[in-house]
Amino acid sequence: MCSAGDSAAYHRSSTFGDDVVIVAAYRTPLCKSKRGGFKDTYADDLLAPVLRAVIEKTNVNPSEVGDIVVGSVLAPGSQRAMECRIAAFYAGFPDTVPVRTVNRQCSSGLQAVADVAAAIKAGFYDIGIGAGLESMTTNPMAFDGSVNPRVKTMAQAQDCLLPMGITSENVAHRFSVTRQEQDQAAVESHRKAAAATASGKLKDEIIPVKTKIIDPKSGDEKEVTISVDDGIRPNASLADLGKLKPVFKKDGTTTAGNSSQVSDGAGAVLLMKKSVALQKGLPILGVFRTFAAVGVDPAIMGVGPAVAIPAAVKSAGLELEDIDLFEINEAFASQFLYCRKKLELDPEKINVNGGAMAIGHPLGATGARCVATLLHEMKRRGKDCRFGVVSMCIGTGMGAAAVFERGDSCDELCNTRTVEDHNFLSKDAR
């Protein structure tokens, strides 16, 4: 049962009808880049189905949408912005609806949702879409152009260029996260994702995508419908993962098996003022409560959630024990385990349907994917699950987190319990 109950320790600063709510949140399946179901799918064809879904499933007039904000990381900025605009047309939006992209590395999809929530709160518009998109098949991770030699004069600047896997090794070494612990976390991620898939849980959040797959030998095209994540390994075991060699350091502990998968996918979240949702008679999936982005040491960028989660929870006027469910991106098992231990979180509350080590991590789409996964699971759990958090670490040394409230639990009650100053921020990130 939610420890917060009806007197949770937060105070709404706005009137009831001005809450920013989520009425729809969907994602594509996530597929292995270069060899999975979306290896021959253009980025705009990935984004269009989820943009269409949030409109069709709510019967919202697309012309009422004030803005579409899409998180995306690897593609050249102007090209991806054009692809997102094209996807909006494919999805049936009129030319009067604007589109823009946002890039805060791995939190880009969550940042897009937060940007739309802030704009609605500010009165810029009443309805907006926060989305995320990444085709790591089309746009692999790479640094384009030469590096400024000046970075050699500053350690923190140099550390911004560290391969993400090296930052994982740094976290594992500095905070004593063992190889066996990391492999066990990966096994658990696959086990939970496989169980969620087999039970049909994930169907609530996944929009099947009609696309094509090209045979690399014959060149023949085959029409297919992709409806499940294709990176999940139901039979993953400690024995099998233990055979994998470290990728980034000869004597390291980070392997392909205990890291997030390189993936293709997209997600979209439809937000609006609560008064508008009520006027339209739309069921409310969740309420956007607050968002925090923080900076940490780039050399151990994976600790970001350990700093961002307490900051966001405190901003919402809550305490960590008030949070019933967490979606924390599993960029690497090392950093995921560190954050879980540092914040002393209950493992039974985190990534209950698996995480990025099993499902995948299409960088710009992960935030939107996590919001969809979290809110649909909170809806399934009902009254026993009032507050949820989405969080991830961010390359170059940052963390992001957002707090959501289950849609049918929000009311006009305000708290009377005073929240004292907390001291949750991680000293390890300084």
Side-chain angles (χ1 to χ4, degrees):
M1 187 70 180
C2 171
S3 60
D6 283 335
S7 59
Y10 75 97
H11 178 84
R12 295 191 179 94
S13 59
S14 62
T15 58
F16 180 55
D18 283 340
D19 277 341
V20 177
V21 301
I22 296 97
V23 297
Y26 297 106
R27 67 175 180 93
T28 68
L30 304 190
C31 296
K32 295 174 288 188
S33 77
K34 298 189 182 299
R35 54 201 177 96
F38 293 141
K39 71 181 182 66
D40 301 307
T41 303
Y42 288 99
D44 42 358
D45 285 330
L46 272 179
L47 180 59
V50 288
L51 292 181
R52 184 183 304 113
V54 295
I55 292 300
E56 288 185 348
K57 290 181 177 292
T58 57
N59 289 317
V60 169
N61 187 332
S63 66
E64 293 183 85
V65 174
D67 202 2
I68 300 172
V69 182
V70 185
S72 189
V73 179
L74 298 175
S78 59
Q79 176 182 327
R80 182 47 46 87
M82 284 189 283
E83 289 169 332
C84 291
R85 176 73 164 155
I86 290 168
F89 288 136
Y90 290 160
F93 287 83
D95 58 14
T96 54
V97 177
V99 180
R100 71 171 172 90
T101 58
V102 61
N103 187 346
R104 198 197 289 270
Q105 308 270 57
C106 300
S107 71
S108 297
L110 184 61
Q111 186 67 60
V113 173
D115 283 2
V116 170
I120 292 172
K121 200 75 170 172
F124 296 163
Y125 46 80
D126 290 342
I127 302 173
I129 295 173
L133 166 66
E134 207 71 58
S135 172
M136 298 181 78
T137 294
T138 306
N139 307 108
M141 296 180 71
F143 192 97
D144 189 20
S146 59
V147 177
N148 186 346
R150 185 182 176 187
V151 300
K152 296 179 181 179
T153 67
M154 184 182 293
Q156 283 183 309
Q158 276 190 291
D159 288 344
C160 287
L161 299 175
L162 287 174
M164 295 297 96
I166 294 297
T167 71
S168 170
E169 294 288 4
N170 290 345
V171 170
H173 176 73
R174 190 176 301 188
F175 304 112
S176 302
V177 186
T178 69
R179 168 70 184 269
Q180 184 167 357
E181 286 177 313
Q182 294 173 61
D183 287 351
Q184 183 61 48
V187 169
E188 287 298 304
S189 185
H190 283 281
R191 180 188 63 78
K192 290 187 286 187
T197 300
S199 69
K201 273 187 179 182
L202 301 183
K203 288 182 179 179
D204 293 340
E205 67 193 62
I206 291 178
I207 298 300
V209 177
K210 292 182 179 180
T211 186
K212 64 183 179 183
I213 290 182
I214 301 174
D215 186 305
K217 294 182 179 178
S218 67
D220 293 340
E221 291 186 10
K222 184 170 81 170
E223 298 293 322
V224 295
T225 298
I226 308 297
S227 57
V228 296
D229 307 311
D230 68 14
I232 301 169
R233 297 189 293 276
N235 298 318
S237 68
L238 273 177
D240 290 339
L241 290 179
K243 297 173 185 176
L244 298 176
K245 294 181 179 180
V247 177
F248 299 96
K249 287 176 67 177
K250 188 176 181 181
D251 59 346
T253 58
T254 300
T255 71
N258 58 37
S259 305
S260 58
Q261 296 188 31
V262 178
S263 313
D264 306 328
V269 180
L270 179 61
L271 302 95
M272 62 182 64
K273 285 178 64 174
K274 181 164 190 173
S275 56
V276 174
L278 293 174
Q279 182 184 354
K280 292 181 176 294
L282 292 172
I284 294 169
L285 189 59
V287 183
F288 184 94
R289 285 297 169 212
T290 191
F291 170 82
V294 300
V296 299
D297 180 354
I300 51 170
M301 68 92 201
V303 306
V307 185
I309 290 172
V313 169
K314 181 179 179 181
S315 176
L318 295 166
E319 299 182 27
L320 283 175
E321 56 263 33
D322 292 325
I323 307 303
D324 302 292
L325 211 58
F326 295 85
E327 280 292 326
I328 302 176
N329 186 46
E330 299 168 349
F332 298 96
S334 62
Q335 58 81 214
F336 168 74
L337 289 170
Y338 165 78
C339 295
R340 190 178 77 185
K341 290 178 184 178
K342 183 65 183 177
L343 298 179
E344 299 179 345
L345 303 179
D346 181 354
E348 296 300 316
K349 292 183 176 182
I350 311 171
N351 299 355
V352 296
N353 295 317
M357 288 185 283
I359 297 172
H361 177 26
L363 307 185
T366 285
R369 192 283 295 175
C370 287
V371 171
T373 301
L374 177 80
L375 293 180
H376 283 283
E377 181 62 28
M378 290 176 73
K379 179 182 178 182
R380 273 190 294 272
R381 295 188 174 211
K383 65 180 182 179
D384 290 343
C385 188
R386 183 170 183 179
F387 294 105
V389 163
V390 169
S391 185
M392 64 281 294
C393 59
I394 303 169
T396 71
M398 290 178 279
V403 178
F404 298 87
E405 185 176 5
R406 197 184 76 251
D408 61 1
S409 69
C410 55
D411 52 41
E412 293 190 78
L413 294 176
C414 290
N415 298 349
T416 56
R417 179 155 62 97
T418 302
V419 182
E420 304 297 338
D421 287 341
H422 298 307
N423 191 26
F424 285 145
L425 296 189
S426 171
K427 294 177 182 178
D428 297 321
R430 293 175 185 171

